[in-house]
């Protein structure tokens, strides 16, 4: 009887033979050599790689212009035939799927969103399909495959992939080792599914508690803390073979406007900008960051023209290139965001961004009719070169930077994920344990005035209420494991009076209420905001006389809106690990060691501090 074939091993051998053939063909066509960092400077072109220079000279203008774009795509495979995905892609690009878009336009790469992700093996196959489509083109230029995987509240790749607790949580733990380790783990898992660029870490300094778009995505309000944590993460990503991206230059941390929907104005003076916003980006550059993302923000002290930073030559070239001597890739924030679309037409924006100093043009938008603007934006870049508004040399500079990052990530040698090993890398016990340790380190006990914590395990009647169906249910299960009888009443982001009254009625007669909040500080009662419901819920629960423990699972500022609450913890995240950490802290199984990475101001009095930066209580044993 013949021995059954080991399909896993057979696929691995076939893949290695196939990859070797593609890599050899790529080197033969382009003249690229496997130069390491130390040998790239042997070229007579100011230290540039000669193979890349030959490749660029062989590319037509249209292909070089296309290399500047990273595109959104619909579907869960490179050759998807799913009707909804095909219809969406046709609307944007006149093509069915990523493989057809690559064949028609040869863009520099694609960015994944949650819609693209089912599970890690599927994503690895998707990435390989993109790279096969790229290798089928005449110049065989590997694709940038990018994602926003910051951790915490911004994570496109969900479990079973390891979930980092997020920037502010890591900063609360004050361990740069955790930041570096989680970035390395995230990078290893991304590379295992074929992703080679992460648009992280966030290097913004969140000095505005009312910031609607950054918040816990930032490491905090102290420039030196943000700088050290961001630099640590840059090292972690790079050690895993993934390109990190520090964002959002020149600093998106002090705004009350979301650049997705409006044009933020940053009122910092030049001196304030240098003191508050600059240090993390300076540290990122010193750490050798390969990519920096622009912000769609107007900073009059840096450029009085009113142009957003993405389109500002004084900011991108004058400051970032000339003053800070940054030589890496500059990628725009998404071009479908309103912050960059208000002043100029969509077809002008890529040309203006390139003239300002950007290299990569991310996620072209659709027009009012829903038709994709990318073909017109690509044509506009080509036309600008042919008219003399842009020089081809300027385009070549950006293309070189893009290709050089791909070379340094090893993509010309082998851009493919090993589909047989995804499960050996993604969500391993060691990775999950590291995420749990980091989440444990983050838990911050802000207030314990009634001495309710730590709880003793054993019988008690507990109501778990507040935001998040999954979060409240998971927290109740953790509390029940310690011997309590639990009930759950999830009330959402914006509970109304009937929900609040019912939760308060449920709280009466209980031994304890554990209430979860998520941006309870966002009390504006208008569309796009949470409204006062969460704060009103906490006040009603406290008024019942039942002991109440509040756990803020996002921004730590919530306590200012219900100071009558006697017990308050912050986890900065609602990952499964963060919920387990919160439960461990409730019962004293871990002694909260987190310290606030921001100051919490008094409600409506931003100049007065309720809890200072660095505040954090601990249990006495």
């Amino acid at each position: 009887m013949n021995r059954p074939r080991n399909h896993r091993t057979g696929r691995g051998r076939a893949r290695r033979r196939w990859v070797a053939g593609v890599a050899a063909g790529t080197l033969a066509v382009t003249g690229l050599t496997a130069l390491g960092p130390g040998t790239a400077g042997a070229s007579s072109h100011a230290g540039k790689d000669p193979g890349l220079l030959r490749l660029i000279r062989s590319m037509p203008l249209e292909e070089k212009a296309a290399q500047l774009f990273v595109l959104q795509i619909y579907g869960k495979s490179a050759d998807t035939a799913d009707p909804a995905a095909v219809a969406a892609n046709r609307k944007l690009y006149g093509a069915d799927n990523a493989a057809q878009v690559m064949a028609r336009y040869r863009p520099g790469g694609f960015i994944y969103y949650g819609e693209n992700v089912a599970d890690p093996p599927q994503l690895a196959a998707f990435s390989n399909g993109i790279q096969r489509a790229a290798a089928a083109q005449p110049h065989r230029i590997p694709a940038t495959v990018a994602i926003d995987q910051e951790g915490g509240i911004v994570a496109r790749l969900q479990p079973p992939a390891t979930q980092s607790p997020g920037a502010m949580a890591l900063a609360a733990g004050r361990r740069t080792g955790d930041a570096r380790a989680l970035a390395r783990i995230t990078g290893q898992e991304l590379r295992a599914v074929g992703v080679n660029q992460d648009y992280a870490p966030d290097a913004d300094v969140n000095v505005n508690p009312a910031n609607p778009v950054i918040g816990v995505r930032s490491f905090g309000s102290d420039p030196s803390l943000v700088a050290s944590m961001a630099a640590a993460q840059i090292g972690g990503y790079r050690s895993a073979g993934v390109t990190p991206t520090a964002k959002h230059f020149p600093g998106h941390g002090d705004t009350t406007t979301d650049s997705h929907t409006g044009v933020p104005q940053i009122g910092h003076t030049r001196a304030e900008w240098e003191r508050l916003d600059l240090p993390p980006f300076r540290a990122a550059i010193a750490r050798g960051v390969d990519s920096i993302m622009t912000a769609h923000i107007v900073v009059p002290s840096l450029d009085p023209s009113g142009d957003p930073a993405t389109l500002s030559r004084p900011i991108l070239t004058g400051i970032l290139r000339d003053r800070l001597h940054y030589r890496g890739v500059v990628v725009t924030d998404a071009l479908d965001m309103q912050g960059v679309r208000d002043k100029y037409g969509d077809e002008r924006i890529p040309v203006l961004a390139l003239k300002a100093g950007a290299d990569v043009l991310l996620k072209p938008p659709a027009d009012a009719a829903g038709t994709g603007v990318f073909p017109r934006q690509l044509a506009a870049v080509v036309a600008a070169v042919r008219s003399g508004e842009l020089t081809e040399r300027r385009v070549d500079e950006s293309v070189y930077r893009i290709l050089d990052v791909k070379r340094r990530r090893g993509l010309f040698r082998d851009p493919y994920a090993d589909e047989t090993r995804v499960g050996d890398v993604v969500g391993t016990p060691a990775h999950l344990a590291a995420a749990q340790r980091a989440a444990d380190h983050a838990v911050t006990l802000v207030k314990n005035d009634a001495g309710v914590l730590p709880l003793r395990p054993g019988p008690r009647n507990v109501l778990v209420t507040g935001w998040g169906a999954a979060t409240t249910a998971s927290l109740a299960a953790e509390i029940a494991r310690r011997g309590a009888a639990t009930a759950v009443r999830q009330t959402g982001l914006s509970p109304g009076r009937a929900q609040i009254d019912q939760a308060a009625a449920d709280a009466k007669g209980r031994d304890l209420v554990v209430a979860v909040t998520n941006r309870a500080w966002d009390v504006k009662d208008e569309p796009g905001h949470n409204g006062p419901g969460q704060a009103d819920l906490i006040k009603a629960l406290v008024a019942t006389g039942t002991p109440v423990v509040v756990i803020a699972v996002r921004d730590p500022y919530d306590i200012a809106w219900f100071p009558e609450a006697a017990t308050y913890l912050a986890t900065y995240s609602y990952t499964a690990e963060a919920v387990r950490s919160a439960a461990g802290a409730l019962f004293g199984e871990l002694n909260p060691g987190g310290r606030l990475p921001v100051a919490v101001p008094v409600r409506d009095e931003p100049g007065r501090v309720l809890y200072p930066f660095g505040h954090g209580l601990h249990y006495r044993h």
Side-chain angles (χ1 to χ4, degrees):
M1 180 181 292
N2 292 331
R3 186 185 298 270
R5 182 182 178 189
N6 184 326
H7 290 280
R8 177 186 173 97
T9 304
R11 282 198 304 268
R13 281 198 299 264
R15 175 191 167 275
R16 286 192 293 271
R17 289 194 299 269
W18 177 65
V19 165
V22 171
T26 299
L27 295 178
V29 170
T30 63
L32 287 174
T33 54
L35 294 178
T39 58
S43 168
S44 60
H45 294 270
K48 291 186 176 180
D49 180 87
L52 291 183
L53 294 172
R54 285 193 295 271
L55 173 57
I56 292 169
R57 285 196 297 269
S58 72
M59 295 167 65
L61 173 60
E62 291 80 2
E63 188 171 354
K64 288 190 284 191
Q67 192 65 211
L68 307 177
F69 287 86
V70 170
L71 307 178
Q72 178 186 17
I73 197 71
Y74 287 92
K76 291 182 171 63
S77 67
D79 58 355
T80 184
D82 174 74
V86 167
N89 290 327
R90 285 179 180 170
K91 192 91 171 176
L92 288 179
Y93 310 116
D96 290 359
N97 49 47
Q100 290 186 14
V101 171
M102 180 61 73
R104 177 174 295 189
Y105 298 107
R106 302 172 194 167
F110 295 96
I111 178 173
Y112 288 140
Y113 288 90
E115 184 274 337
N116 301 118
V117 182
D119 54 55
Q122 164 268 328
L123 200 61
F126 194 168
S127 301
N128 284 348
I130 288 172
Q131 298 296 0
R132 286 194 296 271
Q137 306 315 308
H139 289 103
R140 301 186 180 185
I141 299 172
T144 296
V145 180
I147 202 166
D148 286 297
Q149 192 78 6
E150 299 173 12
I153 66 170
V154 179
R156 314 302 187 200
L157 187 59
Q158 290 289 307
T162 304
Q163 303 299 297
S164 170
M168 195 171 284
L170 292 168
R174 297 298 199 277
R175 288 169 165 84
T176 54
D178 281 354
R180 184 180 298 105
L182 267 296
R184 184 179 64 253
I185 287 167
T186 299
Q188 289 170 341
E189 297 193 6
L190 290 179
R191 199 63 194 261
V193 298
V195 174
N196 52 61
Q197 178 150 14
D198 193 3
Y199 293 134
D202 191 303
D204 300 311
V205 180
N206 199 75
V207 294
N208 192 331
N211 194 324
V213 65
I214 304 301
V216 292
R217 297 170 63 193
S218 162
F219 290 106
S221 61
D222 179 75
S224 61
L225 176 62
V226 176
S228 64
M229 301 298 281
Q233 290 224 299
I234 288 164
Y237 286 119
R238 288 184 56 148
S239 71
V242 166
T243 299
T245 304
K247 62 188 185 185
H248 307 81
F249 188 81
H252 208 316
D254 190 4
T255 175
T256 57
T257 301
D258 185 342
S259 51
H260 292 86
T261 57
V263 185
Q265 295 265 347
I266 307 297
H268 291 179
T269 66
R270 184 98 179 199
E272 288 172 331
W273 174 79
E274 293 194 0
R275 177 173 58 85
L276 293 172
D277 302 290
L278 176 59
F281 292 101
R282 194 189 294 278
I285 293 168
R287 192 67 180 80
V289 70
D290 303 276
S291 177
I292 289 178
M293 180 179 284
T294 69
H296 302 326
I297 57 173
V298 174
V299 190
S301 65
L302 304 184
D303 180 358
S305 71
D307 285 343
T310 298
L311 308 181
S312 168
R313 186 169 179 82
I315 292 175
L316 297 190
T317 296
I319 295 176
L320 186 55
R321 295 285 190 207
D322 295 344
R323 180 182 166 192
L324 299 180
H325 307 295
Y326 176 63
R327 297 295 176 258
V329 169
V330 175
V331 55
T332 71
D333 206 345
L335 297 183
D336 64 346
M337 294 167 61
Q338 200 58 40
V340 77
R341 300 179 74 188
D342 263 15
K343 191 173 180 181
Y344 301 101
D346 284 328
E347 292 174 34
R348 287 292 297 156
I349 287 169
V351 175
L352 295 174
L354 291 169
K355 291 175 73 173
D359 302 304
V360 173
L361 306 164
L362 177 63
K363 197 188 177 191
D367 62 20
T371 302
V373 176
F374 165 66
R376 301 203 301 271
Q377 290 188 331
L378 177 60
V381 172
V382 172
V385 174
R386 289 182 173 151
S387 71
E389 183 179 8
L390 280 172
T391 66
E392 190 161 359
R393 180 177 179 180
R394 169 67 190 87
V395 172
D396 289 351
E397 290 173 357
S398 288
V399 174
Y400 182 87
R401 292 187 189 105
I402 293 164
L403 297 185
D404 192 45
V405 169
K406 295 180 181 185
R407 178 188 69 84
R408 286 185 279 115
R409 292 292 90 79
L411 302 184
F412 283 98
R413 293 190 301 272
D414 182 3
Y416 299 98
D418 186 342
E419 295 179 43
T420 70
R421 293 197 63 247
V422 173
D424 297 335
V425 178
V426 177
T428 66
H431 287 182
L432 296 176
Q436 187 64 66
R437 286 193 299 272
D440 288 348
H441 296 153
V443 179
T444 306
L445 180 59
V446 177
K447 191 175 184 182
N448 195 25
D449 288 1
V452 169
L453 300 181
L455 304 171
R456 291 180 180 272
R460 58 169 51 84
N461 193 339
V462 180
L463 172 68
V464 180
T465 188
W467 173 84
T471 302
T472 51
S474 298
L475 189 57
E478 290 289 336
I479 294 170
R481 283 203 310 111
R482 277 85 171 176
T486 59
V488 177
R489 181 165 292 279
Q490 197 271 138
T491 55
L493 281 174
S494 305
R497 178 47 55 187
Q499 290 174 292
I500 293 170
D501 290 346
Q502 185 61 65
D506 286 351
K508 292 177 181 177
R510 306 273 183 183
D511 298 314
L512 181 72
V513 175
V514 177
V516 177
T517 62
N518 180 334
R519 297 177 81 237
W521 62 264
D522 183 19
V523 296
K524 287 186 180 179
D525 198 6
E526 57 188 57
H529 295 271
N530 291 344
Q534 291 189 63
D536 291 344
L537 170 67
I538 302 302
K539 292 174 182 177
L541 293 170
V542 170
T544 67
T546 301
V548 177
V549 176
V550 181
I551 303 176
V553 296
R554 190 163 166 177
D555 302 357
Y557 308 111
D558 294 355
I559 183 63
W561 271 257
F562 38 80
E564 53 268 66
T567 313
Y568 180 78
L569 295 110
T571 64
Y572 316 92
S573 174
Y574 41 84
T575 64
E577 291 81 6
V579 171
R580 285 193 289 269
S581 298
L586 290 180
F587 288 89
E589 296 162 7
L590 67 87
N591 195 342
R595 292 183 286 150
L596 286 173
V598 294
V600 176
V602 174
R603 177 181 180 174
D604 299 327
E605 297 185 56
R608 287 182 59 205
V609 174
L610 183 62
Y611 294 100
F613 175 91
H615 172 79
L617 304 175
H618 312 284
Y619 300 142
R620 294 180 179 177
H621 293 295

